[in-house]
Amino acid sequence: GRRTQLLKGLPATTTVEENAAAGVSVYAFNVTVSPLSSEGVAIPPTIVNSNPLTEAFDIESKGDLEYRVVTTGNPVLDYETMPKRFDLQIFVEDTTGRTDLNILTVQVTDKNERPVFRGNMAIQTVTIYVLEGTPPECIYQVDAADPENAELKYSLLPAPVPFMVLESGAIFSTKEFDYEKDPHCYFLNVTVTDPEGLNSTKTVNINIININDERPYFTTKQRIYRIPEEQSPGTVVANITAKDPDDENSPSRLFYSIQSSDRYFSINPSTGVLQVAGRIDRDALPLRLHPNVSVIIQVEDSPSVGHASEMEITIIIDDINDNSPECNPSTFRKEANENMTAGTFLLDLRNYCKDIDVNPSNNQFNFVGLSGFGSNNFALESTGSGRLVMTGSIDLENPANLGVGVYSLTVRVQDSAYPNYSSKYPFYTSFDIFLCYIIYIYIRIKPVNEFFPVFSNLSYEFNVSEIAKVGSSIGRVNARDKDWPPSVITYSIVAGGSTRDYTNVFWINPTKGDVKILARLDYETTQKHILTVQASDQEKTATASVTVNVLEVNDEEPICSPNFYSFQIPVSIAVGTNINGFRIECQDRDSDPRSFRYFINEGNMNNHFTFSPSAGSNTSRLILASSFDYESGLDKNWIYRLRVYITDDNLLSARDKTTHLIKTGMVTLSIRVIPNPTTVIATTPGFTVVTKRENLYSESAWYVPFIITLGSLLLLGLLAYLGFLLATWVRMRCLPAGKADGTPLINFTFCLSSQTMTKLNTVFDGEARDPVTGKMYEFNTRSGARRWKKSSETLQPVPAVQVTSSTTDNGDQGTEQAEAPSRKEISEKRKEPTAETKSAVKPSAGQLETPGLRLQKQKEESEDRGLSSPVPQGRY
């Protein structure tokens, strides 16, 4: 829009006091609008900017186009910390689009403010603690400030207090305080005033702290105490008292403790009551030798750094009759034979019992009150001796004593003097207090073996089937002993029960007497066994005869000969013919020859075969029952596999067959039918079954690949080591030889049995193609040495072979060996001849030259290295 003078009274400059509250009017102005603008202003006067930027001012409307600038109170204007001048840009726009922008300058004026406290006094009442006896000193520094940085003055009220404040604000004490005489607390009002008289006041609390400066002292005069032993924990021994001069007007807060190492007594740290803390045993060390206990008691007015005093008291421990007689062991176990006589000595109890009381009048005791089961068989010689004896012999076989093996006795050990057990045994009365200790005696009467075992029968007879299973029981023998308690009877077979094949056919349970079978019984071999069985009670024995009758059972299978046969028959064989004259002959150890019955169970298609006779004889022939018919298609099989069953039930009735045991033998026959020459053999379509197996990895078999891998690595390492050993042996046995002048020739050294060394300059005079790679290679026709052929080389003629013999007698032999080197030397790696070597091996005038060499050169180029394949037949 157009710039027009709309703000009346602007620009202008005005002032405002610091700390002005929100809504304080700073400056008023009017807005002049065009007569054409009937609706007033479109945009009322607004502070669009300020320098410096602030939100402390705002514009309010007074009505009728009158406005004023007011303070917002956020932030509050502060002369000391904020800018002292603000330039406010005020913008307005009327409804016709005319605008105006003017500046109002606001200057902040200073105002005198009250002084303020800083630090702890600004937020709370300060409490100051002063120890009594402290000399005059600075006890606190007041921190205050004036917003206008004016000089401040400090003062204290009320005036008559032993404190003063300096111009710097430091508060000093003016005397040395005594807690017992001076007030314990002071309340001071600290006032700070600026030059114009404005002030602020705060309260300070000063507490005087009492200190410990006096040593406590004991008021108890007694130093020796006497108590009996075995007092209960918590029993009061003495009441120790003390006072502290620092606490004359109040109960003393003292702390009591025992300084000497003492396990018998303890003291209440607050009350000073000395009491029993643990068991006090006058009869045990060290009190047995030193019954006086010295205790050093300390009292202090502070548990750590206060004043303390000590006092020693002596406590005398008196012995009482508090220990009953004790026996070690308290339980006795003795043995006596049942036939011992009266008066036999068993046990002296006094050797095991004692009373540990110190005073002799308290450690005397007697043995009284022998009682218990069977006590009438035993007695004590006297109450003081403690000797236990038998009053008569004991017969365990007597019905009155049956089942009695151990007699349980009790003997009381009692003090001679009146005991005092109230502390250790509070549940005893004055009457039964004498029953203080009881000895338990267990006397076992040892039985004497007087009687022999006796079998219930003089002889036993058992019947058992010959097919009874091994391990089955066939009967039981029983023996008893009249001794009490009954002896453990052990059974055994001492004679009989053996056969030609087995040493022991029978076994008897050593504790129960059950007779069992250890081996298979055979009626056809042995029909009766006579055993001698022994019963033993570990000392005495008795025997009885046992007869075992073996009952016959049809348990043998028919055995036929032959049990397998294979033959061929013509297709035109006549019906009723004994096929190939074949017959079977059967035997059965436990059956009549007439009991056999023959029938073909499997493979007899169309019932072409039968046996005659079919029953009642131990021999039978194979008969063709019906002719073959392949032309009409009735018969299709040319091979018959017959399974013939032979049973031994021919003589049994139908009812007996259901109850008797029947055995079956078997014969297998294979018959091939031979067709006539003109017979057309019908082919039977067939099919092929292909089974595919696939190895799948299973997580549960993780160890399989691990073991295979580990084994492979170990095998490879072993092979490498063996190869290294072989190369070392070859190098040691066959040392390479070179020219004397050091010319690098390719020489091959052959180790001969006659110690002949042959040096051969290798010349490759033949060539061939490797059947695996298809590459051409060269070889020496005499030594067999090979190398890949290079396309740039020509075939070299064979030089003369020079042989150096170590002896004159073996010259011919060395020559032959030079012409036929060993395979190991041939397999050694050859070096590629250098240019000098190639020129050195050309044939000379005195060397042999192989005529008619035909060389076939190839243009392939390959590396010069040895071949591992055997020498093929090349062209040369």
Side-chain angles (χ1 to χ4, degrees), residues 325-336:
E326 294 184 0
C327 300
N328 188 17
S330 61
T331 302
F332 298 87
R333 289 176 172 83
K334 290 292 181 179
E335 291 184 347

Side-chain angles (χ1 to χ4, degrees), residues 785-846:
R786 288 149 296 190
R787 72 175 182 181
W788 293 113
K789 181 179 173 159
K790 292 185 177 181
S791 58
S792 60
E793 293 183 357
T794 58
L795 192 64
Q796 301 176 4
V798 179
V801 177
Q802 297 179 358
V803 178
T804 304
S805 177
S806 61
T807 60
T808 58
D809 297 336
N810 298 332
D812 296 338
Q813 181 180 359
T815 304
E816 294 176 358
Q817 292 178 352
E819 292 177 357
S822 64
R823 294 183 179 179
K824 180 166 61 177
E825 296 177 37
I826 294 174
S827 64
E828 293 180 356
K829 185 177 181 180
R830 268 55 174 182
K831 297 181 179 179
E832 180 183 357
T834 60
E836 297 177 358
T837 306
K838 294 180 181 179
S839 61
V841 299
K842 291 182 179 180
S844 60

Side-chain angles (χ1 to χ4, degrees), residues 615-628:
S617 175
N618 66 332
T619 61
S620 183
R621 297 174 300 161
L622 180 64
I623 303 298
L624 182 66
S626 61
S627 60
F628 299 103

Side-chain angles (χ1 to χ4, degrees), residues 130-377:
V130 178
L131 295 178
E132 68 167 323
T134 302
E137 62 179 356
C138 179
I139 62 174
Y140 190 74
Q141 176 64 50
V142 179
D143 186 8
D146 185 70
E148 288 78 28
N149 294 325
E151 291 292 334
L152 300 178
K153 293 182 179 181
Y154 298 90
S155 60
L156 292 178
L157 290 176
V161 292
F163 302 97
M164 61 178 295
V165 60
L166 302 182
E167 294 182 357
S168 61
I171 299 176
F172 278 81
S173 60
T174 59
K175 61 174 292 186
E176 184 175 317
F177 295 93
D178 187 352
Y179 184 83
E180 289 73 23
K181 298 178 181 180
D182 296 328
H184 298 166
C185 183
Y186 296 90
F187 298 94
L188 304 181
N189 292 324
V190 180
T191 303
V192 56
T193 307
D194 66 2
E196 296 185 5
L198 293 178
N199 60 68
S200 297
T201 301
K202 287 287 185 178
T203 301
V204 175
N205 296 337
I206 301 177
N207 294 330
I208 307 302
I209 304 301
N210 186 21
I211 64 173
N212 185 16
D213 54 356
E214 298 290 340
R215 184 182 302 274
Y217 60 92
F218 288 96
T219 58
T220 301
K221 304 301 181 183
Q222 186 178 351
R223 295 293 187 268
I224 298 177
Y225 298 87
R226 182 183 294 271
I227 63 170
E229 65 170 328
E230 297 294 352
Q231 296 300 307
S232 301
T235 301
V236 176
V237 177
N239 189 9
I240 308 301
T241 59
K243 282 195 172 185
D244 187 356
D246 290 328
D247 300 325
E248 288 296 336
N249 297 327
S250 61
S252 300
R253 293 176 298 175
L254 301 177
F255 301 91
Y256 298 88
S257 63
I258 296 178
Q259 296 302 304
S260 57
S261 177
D262 188 86
R263 61 179 178 176
Y264 305 113
F265 305 100
S266 65
I267 192 169
N268 190 306
S270 300
T271 63
V273 175
L274 183 67
Q275 55 192 3
V276 177
R279 183 185 178 190
I280 303 176
D281 189 0
R282 172 68 175 81
D283 308 303
L285 294 175
L287 295 179
R288 190 177 187 90
L289 300 178
H290 305 285
N292 298 338
V293 179
S294 295
V295 179
I296 298 177
I297 300 175
Q298 182 186 76
V299 60
E300 54 185 341
D301 53 13
S302 177
S304 57
V305 293
H307 300 282
S309 297
E310 291 183 354
M311 178 182 67
E312 181 179 3
I313 65 174
T314 300
I315 304 173
I316 300 174
I317 309 300
D318 293 331
D319 181 45
I320 63 173
N321 186 16
D322 62 326
N323 290 292
S324 64
E326 294 184 0
C327 300
N328 188 17
S330 61
T331 302
F332 298 87
R333 289 176 172 83
K334 290 292 181 179
E335 291 184 347
N337 292 334
E338 63 175 319
N339 53 6
M340 278 187 174
T341 60
T344 302
F345 169 76
L346 296 178
L347 180 64
D348 189 353
L349 298 176
R350 184 163 288 277
N351 295 334
Y352 305 96
C353 300
K354 63 179 180 178
D355 191 332
I356 63 173
D357 283 320
V358 176
N359 194 330
S361 62
N362 295 331
N363 58 20
Q364 301 300 317
F365 56 90
N366 295 321
F367 299 92
V368 295
L370 175 63
S371 62
F373 176 72
S375 60
N376 58 323
N377 297 311

Side-chain angles (χ1 to χ4, degrees), residues 499-517:
T499 63
R500 181 181 58 186
D501 299 328
Y502 300 99
T503 303
N504 297 315
V505 180
F506 302 95
W507 173 81
I508 188 169
N509 189 306
T511 58
K512 297 181 179 180
D514 291 332
V515 181
K516 296 186 178 181
I517 304 172

Side-chain angles (χ1 to χ4, degrees), residues 604-618:
N604 192 12
M605 303 294 298
N606 295 329
N607 298 320
H608 289 301
F609 306 97
T610 186
F611 276 90
S612 178
S614 61
S617 175
N618 66 332

